[in-house]
Amino acid sequence: RDDAGNKNSVGFFVGTNYGISAPVYEDWLGYPPSVYDMENLSKTTAQQIFKKNYWHKLNAGFINSQAVAETLVDHGINAGTGTAAKIMQRVLNEQFGFNLAIDGAIGPISLKAINSVDASELFYQFNIQRIEDYKTKRNAAGWLDVWINRVKRITKKFGGSLKKKQ
């Protein structure tokens, strides 16, 4: 109940469905969703929202590595696409020697950088930085374990590790 993602713009608690928050669904619908609207959100509509609002916005379809694309989008869903893009750009600069603008947009220059480095190392470094980003959030005390488990799930899905590399 303390997650703002469960409330529409008029302050009613309507919950989430398929990982779609009330504000995101409101933007899609063009009006504040009700509990009924949220409960009846179809899986197909949820997929369309994820594709438009996150996958396409982060240009994930142009990333060669599915693991990198999905973890970037996953962070965009959870922390915002601008935040996800900025973390990716910082990782590319700090860990791979690029000099990208930290502008929060994955455009052609960022995509070229993403696709030119070792995907497994980028996947690892990005996920480590996701966790570091979560630790800085004002509401980290209540959510940090949930957020870290989110990173662990996607890391496990692609057979990666969060253990410090030797």
Side-chain angles (χ1 to χ4, degrees), residues 45-65:
T45 299
Q47 289 169 333
Q48 291 170 343
I49 292 168
F50 281 124
K51 196 170 191 178
K52 177 183 178 269
N53 289 13
Y54 305 100
W55 188 264
H56 290 320
K57 191 167 185 180
L58 287 164
N59 284 312
F62 297 102
I63 296 173
N64 295 338
S65 165

Side-chain angles (χ1 to χ4, degrees), residues 66-77:
Q66 188 67 25
V68 171
E70 284 190 33
T71 198
L72 176 65
V73 170
D74 185 67
H75 200 64
I77 291 166

Side-chain angles (χ1 to χ4, degrees), residues 53-55 57-60 63 68-93 100-107 110 114 122-123 125-127 129-131 133-134 137 150-151:
N53 289 13
Y54 305 100
W55 188 264
K57 191 167 185 180
L58 287 164
N59 284 312
I63 296 173
V68 171
E70 284 190 33
T71 198
L72 176 65
V73 170
D74 185 67
H75 200 64
I77 291 166
N78 192 235
T81 56
T83 296
K86 286 176 183 178
I87 292 171
M88 180 61 75
Q89 290 163 334
R90 274 197 305 273
V91 166
L92 288 162
N93 288 349
L100 301 172
I102 310 296
D103 61 5
I106 301 296
S110 293
I114 290 167
L122 180 57
F123 180 77
Q125 294 293 340
F126 181 76
N127 281 307
Q129 288 308 305
R130 287 179 71 181
I131 292 171
D133 179 62
Y134 285 141
K137 302 299 182 196
R150 183 181 188 116
V151 177

Side-chain angles (χ1 to χ4, degrees), residues 13-163:
F13 182 88
V14 297
T16 63
N17 197 352
Y18 296 114
I20 301 295
S21 70
V24 168
Y25 196 33
E26 183 169 331
D27 183 57
W28 182 266
L29 290 171
Y31 60 86
S34 64
V35 171
Y36 177 84
D37 291 326
M38 192 57 78
E39 287 175 349
N40 288 286
L41 170 65
S42 72
K43 188 174 186 176
T44 300
T45 299
Q47 289 169 333
Q48 291 170 343
I49 292 168
F50 281 124
K51 196 170 191 178
K52 177 183 178 269
N53 289 13
Y54 305 100
W55 188 264
H56 290 320
K57 191 167 185 180
L58 287 164
N59 284 312
F62 297 102
I63 296 173
N64 295 338
S65 165
Q66 188 67 25
V68 171
E70 284 190 33
T71 198
L72 176 65
V73 170
D74 185 67
H75 200 64
I77 291 166
N78 192 235
T81 56
T83 296
K86 286 176 183 178
I87 292 171
M88 180 61 75
Q89 290 163 334
R90 274 197 305 273
V91 166
L92 288 162
N93 288 349
E94 295 169 7
Q95 303 298 321
F96 297 93
F98 287 92
N99 189 26
L100 301 172
I102 310 296
D103 61 5
I106 301 296
I109 296 169
S110 293
L111 285 168
K112 186 175 180 182
I114 290 167
N115 289 328
S116 72
V117 300
D118 179 83
S120 63
E121 183 65 17
L122 180 57
F123 180 77
Y124 169 77
Q125 294 293 340
F126 181 76
N127 281 307
I128 293 298
Q129 288 308 305
R130 287 179 71 181
I131 292 171
E132 293 306 311
D133 179 62
Y134 285 141
K135 290 176 182 177
T136 69
K137 302 299 182 196
R138 62 177 168 71
N139 53 348
W143 290 97
L144 189 58
D145 288 342
V146 172
W147 295 333
I148 289 173
N149 284 334
R150 183 181 188 116
V151 177
K152 286 179 178 177
R153 275 193 309 274
I154 201 159
T155 301
K156 183 178 179 182
K157 174 182 178 179
F158 288 101
S161 173
L162 293 172
K163 293 186 173 145

